[in-house]
């Protein structure tokens, strides 16, 4: 199995852009009480101590260099204070209005822009070889050197030369954390990006591994060059969009796993209905039957659907903090789950489409950080060949019973595994791994 790596000058800017502009969302809401309905994750998890830490971090009376908080928290506080108005709040649509003003100014000036920068005024000078956390990877089905990635720090990037160089797409998206991406199975120019990074227990600003609130689902119809938010997702129910799925036989049917439930649209995203409530971190569609799906609900367990997400039932045999799923395409009805609980990931397997699961892992499992890092992939040609990641990346060749850490050169903390189109285990063995170090 081979892996792509990329540390080009284009992708290197991901970290800097994330630090510089990802705080443009409505940050001041973080100072409100944790029972505020605009914070579905905090209200459901009841993390009073984390909220107290956040409020203390935002206190302008405390010196930024008093040593009470980490550098990441101090950086967040500085960004937050830069953006608040005299009354200490940031208007909800401040970023959208700012973009409108910039767009108007450009129309009056003219000139060529790339990712919001006027080409006639800026020259890239570095740095290079610096990656950043990403959770979304897409590959073009017929052009293997064309990929898109969505970064947690903010921004969507594209390469057309297999990762040698990357281009930042759309300045507005650079201001929003990307939690997942999906491609229309019929038209590869139609892309979706779910915003917000909801794989944590802590509110944004309390640490460098805390939630980054998003702004709904964005759609592109030109291969990612431009993006527009789907108006129906401009609500708090879509602040943390963790997974997206599209029915290949009817691309008007969309499903979204968010921090408030699984939402379903039958009209291309014009309207949505919640089919089951909960904090859902994963949603996968059966490659052999798109009417069958599995999903993972934080601190609860797995769920499954046999009618393309219209109704859901609870799976047996799981539980845990977070569950990630992968179908074994070569064996209909087989589903693997990497369940994280108490800092360890164990592999479970279902042979009845996700209705029930049995433990496969012998021993203590692999290390993870609660919700933060958990991903799994199953070889479509060999149902016993499983690759999973937590802090590090592991391989199993016996259906998850045993595993070995064989990929020592990959950066720690795994978040996404995307196979190259047409992977066959012989002439095509390429996987793309997304983690804290990039792709």
């Amino acid at each position: 199995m081979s892996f792509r790596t990329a540390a080009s000058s284009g992708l290197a800017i991901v970290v800097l852009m994330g630090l510089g502009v990802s705080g443009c969302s409505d940050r001041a809401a973080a100072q409100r009480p944790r029972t505020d309905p605009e914070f579905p994750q905090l209200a459901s998890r009841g993390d009073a101590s984390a909220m107290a830490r956040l409020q203390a971090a935002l206190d302008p009376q405390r010196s930024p260099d008093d040593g009470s908080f980490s550098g990441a928290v101090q950086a967040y506080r500085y960004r937050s204070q830069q953006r608040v108005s005299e009354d200490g709040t940031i208007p909800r649509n401040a970023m959208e209005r700012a973009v409108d003003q910039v767009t108007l100014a450009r129309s009056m000036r003219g000139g060529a822009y790339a990712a919001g920068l006027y080409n006639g005024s800026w020259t890239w000078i570095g740095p290079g070889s610096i990656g950043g956390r990403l959770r979304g990877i897409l590959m073009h089905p017929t052009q293997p050197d064309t990929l898109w990635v969505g970064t947690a720090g903010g921004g969507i990037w594209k390469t057309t030369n297999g990762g040698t160089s990357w281009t930042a797409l759309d300045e507005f998206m650079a201001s929003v954390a990307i939690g997942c991406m999906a491609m229309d199975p019929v038209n590869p120019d139609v892309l979706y990006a779910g915003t917000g990074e909801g794989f944590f227990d802590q509110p944004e600003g309390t640490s460098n591994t805390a939630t980054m609130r998003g702004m709904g689902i964005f759609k592109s119809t030109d291969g990612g060059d431009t993006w527009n938010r789907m108006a129906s997702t401009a609500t708090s129910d879509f602040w943390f969009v963790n997974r997206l799925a599209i029915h290949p036989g009817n691309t008007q049917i969309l499903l979204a796993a968010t921090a408030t439930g699984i939402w379903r649209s039958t009209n291309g995203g014009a309207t949505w209905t919640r089919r089951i409530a909960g904090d859902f971190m994963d949603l996968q569609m059966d490659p052999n039957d798109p009417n069958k799906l599995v999903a993972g609900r934080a601190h609860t367990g797995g769920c499954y659907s046999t009618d393309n997400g219209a109704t859901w039932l609870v799976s047996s045999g799981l539980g845990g903090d977070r569950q990630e799923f992968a179908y074994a395409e070569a064996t209909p009805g087989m589903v693997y789950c990497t369940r994280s609980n108490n800092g360890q990931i164990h592999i479970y397997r279902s042979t009845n489409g996700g209705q029930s699961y049995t433990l496969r892992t012998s021993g203590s499992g692999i290390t993870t950080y609660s919700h933060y890092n958990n991903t799994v992939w199953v070889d479509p040609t060999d149902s016993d060949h499983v690759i999973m990641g937590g802090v590090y990346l592991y391989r199993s060749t016996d259906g998850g019973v045993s595993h070995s850490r064989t990929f020592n050169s990959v950066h720690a903390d795994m978040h996404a595994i995307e196979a190259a189109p047409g992977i066959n285990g012989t002439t095509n063995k390429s996987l793309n791994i997304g983690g804290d170090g990039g792709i």
Side-chain angles (χ1 to χ4, degrees):
M1 195 69 66
S2 60
F3 296 88
R4 294 179 185 268
T5 59
S8 67
S9 60
L11 192 60
I13 307 176
V14 170
V15 175
L16 298 182
M17 293 186 69
L19 289 175
V21 298
S22 64
C24 291
S25 299
D26 183 12
R27 299 284 191 175
Q31 301 180 47
R32 299 170 186 152
R34 69 177 178 83
T35 54
D36 189 328
E38 290 185 348
F39 273 83
Q41 284 194 318
L42 295 181
S44 63
R45 294 172 182 169
D47 193 345
S49 62
M51 199 62 200
R53 293 195 303 273
L54 174 60
Q55 290 171 333
L58 292 171
D59 184 357
Q61 300 303 316
R62 302 190 67 168
S63 170
D65 58 358
D66 63 5
S68 301
F69 305 103
S70 70
V73 173
Q74 292 177 16
Y76 167 78
R77 180 170 56 181
Y78 178 73
R79 295 198 306 273
S80 179
Q81 292 173 358
Q82 283 184 312
R83 288 166 172 77
V84 297
S85 58
E86 292 181 356
D87 63 359
T89 64
I90 302 176
R92 171 151 328 181
N93 296 316
M95 186 161 64
E96 292 95 323
R97 290 200 298 271
V99 171
D100 290 341
Q101 293 172 4
V102 171
T103 300
L104 176 61
R106 288 178 185 158
S107 67
M108 299 173 65
R109 175 178 179 179
Y113 292 84
L117 300 180
Y118 181 60
N119 290 342
S121 304
W122 294 84
T123 300
W124 180 84
I125 62 172
S129 301
I130 299 175
R133 183 167 73 250
L134 59 87
R135 293 187 181 271
I137 305 173
L138 295 177
M139 295 192 68
H140 196 286
T142 61
Q143 302 171 18
D145 286 334
T146 298
L147 299 87
W148 298 260
V149 297
T151 68
I156 294 177
W157 301 73
K158 181 180 181 180
T159 178
T160 57
N161 53 21
T164 300
S165 61
W166 295 81
T167 300
L169 305 177
D170 196 284
E171 63 164 325
F172 185 83
M173 297 301 291
S175 302
V176 186
I178 308 300
C180 64
M181 298 182 69
M183 177 183 290
D184 187 305
V186 177
N187 183 355
D189 283 333
V190 177
L191 310 176
Y192 296 86
T195 66
E197 191 184 18
F199 298 94
F200 310 94
D201 282 321
Q202 297 172 309
E204 56 184 337
T206 57
S207 75
N208 65 343
T209 57
T211 57
M212 292 293 292
R213 192 203 312 174
M215 299 178 60
I217 299 174
F218 287 72
K219 180 179 180 179
S220 173
T221 59
D222 54 12
D225 289 341
T226 60
W227 295 82
N228 292 289
R229 181 169 63 174
M230 304 176 78
S232 58
T233 66
T235 72
S236 59
D237 285 314
F238 291 87
W239 277 350
F240 300 97
V241 182
N242 299 320
R243 292 289 184 272
L244 294 167
I246 308 170
H247 194 294
N250 181 0
T251 57
Q252 291 294 296
I253 299 178
L254 310 175
L255 292 120
T258 81
T260 62
I262 293 180
W263 296 79
R264 186 172 187 261
S265 174
T266 58
N267 52 17
T271 59
W272 300 79
T273 58
R274 182 164 58 184
R275 309 313 303 172
I276 183 173
D279 183 0
F280 283 87
M281 295 188 175
D282 194 25
L283 171 69
Q284 298 296 327
M285 183 176 288
D286 189 336
N288 295 311
D289 184 350
N291 289 317
K292 298 177 180 179
L293 301 102
V294 291
R297 184 163 48 182
H299 302 295
T300 303
C303 299
Y304 68 96
S305 173
T306 58
D307 55 7
N308 193 244
T311 60
W312 292 84
L313 296 171
V314 176
S315 307
S316 62
L318 284 179
D321 293 330
R322 176 183 172 186
Q323 311 81 24
E324 288 289 307
F325 298 91
Y327 281 92
E329 188 173 352
T331 307
M334 182 176 290
V335 188
Y336 282 88
C337 173
T338 45
R339 190 200 77 166
S340 62
N341 196 50
N342 297 323
Q344 297 291 318
I345 292 177
H346 292 80
I347 296 180
Y348 289 73
R349 190 170 74 179
S350 171
T351 57
N352 54 15
Q355 297 180 40
S356 61
Y357 292 83
T358 57
L359 176 65
R360 297 286 295 174
T361 305
S362 59
S364 60
I366 66 176
T367 302
T368 186
Y369 300 134
S370 185
H371 296 149
Y372 181 64
N373 42 15
N374 184 347
T375 187
V376 61
W377 174 84
V378 181
D379 190 331
T381 66
D382 181 355
S383 298
D384 285 329
H385 184 199
V386 182
I387 293 178
M388 58 280 190
V391 176
Y392 303 110
L393 202 61
Y394 297 81
R395 184 205 304 271
S396 174
T397 57
D398 54 12
V401 175
S402 62
H403 53 267
S404 59
R405 182 184 166 192
T406 55
F407 310 107
N408 295 320
S409 61
V410 181
H411 192 286
D413 297 323
M414 308 302 157
H415 306 299
I417 304 174
E418 182 74 13
I423 189 168
N424 55 25
T426 54
T427 59
N428 183 346
K429 301 181 180 182
S430 294
L431 291 177
N432 294 281
I433 309 300
D436 276 11
I439 181 171

